[in-house]
Amino acid sequence: MSYDFDRPVDRRGTGSIKWERMGAPGAAERGVIPLWVADMDLPSAAPILEALRARLEKDAFGYTEYGEELREAARSWYRRRFGWEVASGDIFYSPGIVPALGFLIDILTEPGDGVIVQRPVYHPFANMIEGHGRRLVDNALVEEDGRYRMDLDDLRAKAADPRNKLVILCSPHNPVGRVWAEEELRAFGRICLDAGLVVLSDEIHHDILRRGVAHRPLEALFPEERPRIVTMTAPSKTFNIAGLQLSNVVIRDPEIQKRWKELVHGRLGLELPNAFAVAAARAAWESGEAWLEELKAYLDGNFAYLAGFLEKRLPRARLSPAEGTYLAWVDFRAWGFRRGELAAFALEEARVCVNDGAIFGPQGEGFLRLNLACPRTALAEALERLAAALERRRAT
Ligand SMILES: Cc1ncc(COP(=O)(O)O)c(C=O)c1O
């Protein structure tokens, strides 16, 4: 099977956040191109569509369990793709990873405790930490010529502070596009675990990798200490089924499992997945591999297109090396925009809706995050518009 990712998918009228909530009302009608929210404007995998149609044919949509077949499909995916062994009973359902972060912050920390993150990073981390009355502690990434690395000395100091209890790792990293190398993960994990922290490892982007890049699940590197690591993954990002709401939380420690059940199943009454999500996730993990490989090749092409375009038309902009995710992190600081102006400029002057880097932390000021999971024609048009608008406003 060969997928035509150049074929535009018309998402209008589906309630898509990406299309309906762009900047000002009516933006989609005015032809604004959305390169923001992290989902894809690309056709989904045929096995998923077939499974959903078959499920629809069953005519009844009652309460549905996260059953053994789905657990087996997830376990087999982890084993095949990452050599990672996960026991069926260690997989817990959550509608999403963001809510799971909220539950785990609740379970593992007290109000006022510090939670370490590595900014610039996916902004709901901050919302969840601060929304739960915990303190955000920033172990900021270090940028060197556009490439990011962890600041391990700073991490060691922050991990040693007994007021800090938890750390959230983003692996692969949104928005900077790093897929952490094994040595980096080992160094990171060693520091956090030696200091007694619990690590929440958000690995939702683990499947979206550039050619030749490998992802290592953090806990696979620390088999003895995995009870202190909670790993979150999902088919949502990989297979563009975020609207179906199914994620996996891998919890090894019996005490954390018990507290998850008390809070999430008991007090919140949140245990059963959506019937369509179950059908889609199983098809994705059992039969989605061929589609994923084609998707990755297409995304590689989009990244190459972006790199070539910037080199030719906007040489003062700098693309961070994108090892994973479908999100490009581009430095536009040479234009000297004031705080918060950059994405507004892109929307108003170029009719392109993108994420302003500043939402990911103060280090992101002057950067844009562009979502490249779209047909190349849409990307090309968006870049043309952006370049024309930036050329009108001369680089400083
Ligand atoms: C790092 C990261 N975590 C989580 C999510 C989404 O989580 P949820 O499963 O709640 O949709 C995203 C979406 O962009 C993400 O980039």
Side-chain angles (χ1 to χ4, degrees):
M1 171 101 203
S2 194
Y3 289 94
D4 181 8
F5 292 117
D6 286 326
R7 174 172 69 82
V9 177
D10 185 1
R11 300 184 61 189
R12 280 170 291 183
T14 65
S16 149
I17 301 277
K18 188 185 197 175
W19 285 82
E20 311 293 340
R21 287 203 198 160
M22 282 190 286
E29 286 67 37
R30 286 190 286 113
V32 174
I33 299 175
L35 299 185
W36 62 312
V37 174
D39 62 24
M40 305 190 219
D41 293 337
L42 298 172
S44 199
I48 296 178
L49 298 177
E50 281 157 23
L52 288 171
R53 288 191 186 106
R55 183 65 191 83
L56 195 62
E57 289 301 313
K58 296 286 185 192
D59 291 354
F61 312 106
Y63 297 116
T64 304
E65 64 172 356
Y66 194 128
E68 265 321 306
E69 286 145 339
L70 184 57
R71 288 173 190 279
E72 194 41 51
R75 295 178 65 221
S76 169
W77 183 264
Y78 297 148
R79 190 180 304 124
R80 292 198 314 278
R81 307 288 302 188
F82 309 107
W84 180 34
E85 286 298 332
V86 176
S88 164
D90 292 345
I91 300 175
F92 289 79
Y93 158 75
S94 173
I97 288 183
V98 174
L101 285 170
F103 307 148
L104 289 160
I105 287 170
D106 225 42
I107 289 169
L108 296 165
T109 61
E110 299 293 330
D113 283 348
V115 181
I116 302 174
V117 296
Q118 298 178 308
R119 281 172 149 183
V121 76
Y122 182 56
H123 50 296
F125 288 6
N127 302 343
M128 283 293 127
I129 294 165
E130 288 167 349
H132 281 77
R134 275 57 167 177
R135 265 182 314 107
L136 183 137
V137 178
D138 189 10
N139 165 231
L141 297 177
V142 179
E143 187 237 296
E144 285 159 345
D145 294 332
R147 185 176 165 83
Y148 287 79
R149 63 169 174 82
M150 295 185 189
D151 184 342
L152 295 174
D153 290 333
D154 180 68
L155 177 65
R156 201 171 285 109
K158 287 176 172 148
D161 182 338
R163 296 172 306 160
N164 300 334
K165 298 292 193 308
L166 199 62
V167 54
I168 306 178
L169 173 70
C170 194
S171 174
H173 192 98
N174 169 9
V176 308
R178 282 298 318 279
V179 177
W180 304 113
E182 187 169 326
E183 318 79 76
E184 292 173 295
L185 290 173
R186 281 191 192 281
F188 168 89
R190 195 67 278 142
I191 290 171
C192 297
L193 294 166
D194 283 353
L197 294 172
V198 175
V199 184
L200 305 184
S201 190
D202 179 345
E203 303 188 15
I204 194 170
H205 293 278
H206 63 173
D207 291 311
I208 310 283
L209 309 168
R210 295 293 89 71
R211 186 188 299 276
V213 177
H215 166 84
R216 292 302 311 272
L218 180 74
E219 67 142 59
L221 304 176
F222 295 95
E224 304 295 313
E225 287 150 295
R226 58 185 204 191
R228 307 244 313 288
I229 299 170
V230 176
T231 309
M232 290 157 290
T233 77
S236 57
K237 201 66 50 186
T238 308
F239 292 100
N240 205 21
I241 52 175
L244 295 178
Q245 313 253 292
L246 182 141
S247 306
N248 285 348
V249 182
V250 176
I251 308 176
R252 306 294 198 163
D253 179 53
E255 180 57 27
I256 302 177
Q257 292 182 348
K258 180 168 156 274
R259 281 152 68 188
W260 176 280
K261 287 180 194 161
E262 281 166 5
L263 173 67
V264 182
H265 302 178
R267 297 212 294 281
L268 301 175
L270 199 61
E271 192 174 349
L272 298 179
N274 173 295
F276 286 97
V278 169
R282 189 171 161 199
W285 286 322
E286 286 179 354
S287 317
E289 219 143 4
W291 176 89
L292 175 59
E293 291 310 317
E294 285 190 42
L295 170 82
K296 284 165 60 186
Y298 192 82
L299 293 173
D300 285 354
N302 276 0
F303 274 95
Y305 184 89
L306 171 64
F309 184 94
L310 293 179
E311 202 180 306
K312 210 163 94 208
R313 294 285 302 281
L314 294 170
R316 285 169 172 248
R318 181 158 53 189
L319 170 65
S320 283
E323 299 164 339
T325 84
Y326 47 70
L327 307 163
W329 183 243
V330 187
D331 182 352
F332 289 98
R333 283 177 296 185
W335 277 266
F337 282 93
R338 281 203 301 274
R339 188 177 156 71
E341 265 186 4
L342 184 52
F345 170 85
L347 184 67
E348 280 150 31
E349 301 297 324
R351 287 187 303 129
V352 178
C353 185
V354 286
N355 291 106
D356 198 300
I359 67 170
F360 303 101
Q363 306 83 353
E365 264 175 48
F367 290 73
L368 289 179
R369 191 191 75 170
L370 313 180
N371 177 346
L372 302 200
C374 62
R376 197 154 307 146
T377 46
L379 175 63
E381 172 65 19
L383 293 176
E384 281 296 340
R385 290 187 197 173
L386 208 50
L390 288 168
E391 280 159 3
R392 284 198 297 272
R393 181 193 159 109
R394 281 204 12 252
T396 52

